[in-house]
Amino acid sequence: MKIGIVGAGMVGSAAAFSCVMRGAASRIVLVDLDKARARAEAEDIAHAVPFAHAVQVDAGDYADLAGAGVVILACGVSQKPGETRLQLLDRNAEVFRSVVGEVMAVCPDAILLVASNPVDIMGQITQRLSGLPPERVIGSGTILDTARFRWLLGRHLGIAPRSVHGYVLGEHGDSEVLAWSSARAGSASVASFAAQVGNAITEDVRQTIDYGVRHAAYTIIEGKGATWYGIGAGLARIVSAITSDEQAVLTVSSVSDVLGVHDVACSVPRVVGAQGVNAELLPDLSDKETEALRASAELLKTTVEQVSL
């Protein structure tokens, strides 16, 4: 499948590189206002093709996106040190007003995959601007937060992160919810597994992991200005689920009703395949986690309602 990427900055180029290494697409087209940057990134990534999969990588204009099955929107302004994702809203909403129109004019049947922050709100804005059904506009949501949660839990338990099954729900941001009550290591609860291997999940451990997940972006931004490898791999994972019609369960963001909060984009586990989002699930949650998820959804709903389109 041909995919397009609008925005050839660090996130867009990392996503393109990850798609090449996964073999997630047959052709990738990078589009950016800085045409020289797009050409340079496309050529550099193309030089990795002999070591990976047979993927054609090009730079182009919006017209070159015609026929793309998925278009990743990784455009917009980047997060500044100390700036929350929600503070990015006004600056990035203006960018998307023009970008979404350009994309829809040439590939109206594509699935739009939103990566720009604040991603949940930008995803909902994109759905409104595009007029596409909600299942065809997907935000990367908490796919990266979930990966961070699993990585930190796996490191504490001494097992591979892929053997950890746990989710981060709600906003990709400060109000996100780590679903501890449904987290599993293999087929056992995380608490049971931890006790069996002698690495108990104490309150201090929970707080350390919670902090590590919740503040990872701020730590990385402070050190190098932005995050791109993790989210690039996450975007490629979503693209792969779409292009292979995998029906994978991923914590992505899409507009739906969540715990009584109507018409809001936030992350819960969703089934992703060739048609986009096919179903959504809600893991078993404690009362505290349920209320925290509802509060996160309400925060996003209140914020997006303030945006004038």
Side-chain angles (χ1 to χ4, degrees):
M1 180 185 290
K2 175 181 177 180
I3 71 166
I5 300 176
V6 180
M10 297 310 300
V11 171
S13 58
F17 178 74
S18 294
C19 284
V20 167
M21 301 309 289
R22 288 186 69 98
S26 58
R27 185 183 178 196
I28 299 170
V29 178
L30 287 166
V31 176
D32 198 284
L33 285 174
D34 186 343
K35 297 182 184 301
R37 172 67 179 268
R39 286 195 301 270
E41 294 290 0
E43 185 169 346
D44 193 12
I45 293 166
H47 295 164
V49 167
F51 306 114
H53 299 270
V55 182
Q56 181 180 342
V57 186
D58 301 297
D61 297 315
Y62 283 107
D64 297 301
L65 298 177
V70 180
V71 176
I72 298 173
L73 302 180
C75 47
V77 292
S78 60
Q79 190 173 8
K80 297 177 180 179
E83 182 179 40
T84 68
R85 293 179 180 90
L86 294 179
Q87 290 171 331
L88 284 173
L89 175 58
D90 289 337
R91 297 196 294 141
N92 270 333
E94 186 62 33
V95 173
F96 270 58
R97 286 185 178 93
S98 61
V99 169
V100 172
E102 295 277 9
V103 171
M104 295 306 298
V106 294
C107 46
D109 297 322
I111 292 173
L112 302 184
L113 177 52
V114 181
S116 303
N117 279 318
V119 69
D120 307 292
I121 295 170
M122 295 312 302
Q124 187 153 7
I125 288 172
T126 299
Q127 192 267 322
R128 292 180 181 178
L129 291 170
S130 68
L132 289 172
E135 62 270 18
R136 297 187 67 80
V137 180
I138 302 173
S140 57
T142 57
I143 193 168
L144 180 55
D145 309 274
T146 291
R148 290 165 174 161
F149 186 31
R150 293 177 178 180
W151 176 69
L152 288 167
L153 270 173
R155 188 172 67 172
H156 175 74
L157 297 173
I159 61 174
R162 286 191 176 187
S163 295
V164 178
H165 311 286
Y167 299 107
V168 178
L169 312 175
E171 178 202 2
H172 173 53
D174 297 337
S175 71
E176 65 190 19
V177 181
L178 279 64
W180 284 96
S181 59
S182 60
R184 296 287 183 271
S187 61
S189 70
V190 163
S192 174
F193 187 97
Q196 292 180 55
V197 298
N199 289 325
I201 304 289
T202 64
E203 185 58 32
D204 284 346
V205 169
R206 281 184 178 240
Q207 290 181 6
T208 298
I209 290 176
D210 183 281
Y211 185 90
V213 172
R214 205 175 295 276
H215 292 83
Y218 299 121
T219 301
I220 294 169
I221 289 168
E222 182 180 356
K224 68 174 193 174
T227 68
W228 56 81
Y229 293 124
I231 188 57
L235 291 165
R237 178 69 186 92
I238 299 168
V239 170
S240 180
I242 295 169
T243 58
S244 62
D245 196 17
E246 187 178 345
Q247 310 303 317
V249 177
L250 304 170
T251 50
V252 294
S253 183
S254 184
V255 176
S256 68
D257 297 340
V258 177
L259 294 176
V261 182
H262 301 294
D263 191 34
V264 65
C266 70
S267 289
V268 295
R270 290 185 164 93
V271 181
V272 179
Q275 302 307 310
V277 172
N278 299 315
E280 68 180 41
L281 316 166
L282 193 64
D284 294 331
L285 301 173
S286 67
D287 290 344
K288 183 177 180 181
E289 291 166 347
T290 299
E291 288 308 309
L293 176 56
R294 182 179 290 110
S296 185
E298 288 173 344
L299 170 64
L300 289 166
K301 175 71 171 179
T302 299
T303 303
V304 78
E305 286 177 343
Q306 299 172 4
V307 181
S308 176
L309 296 179

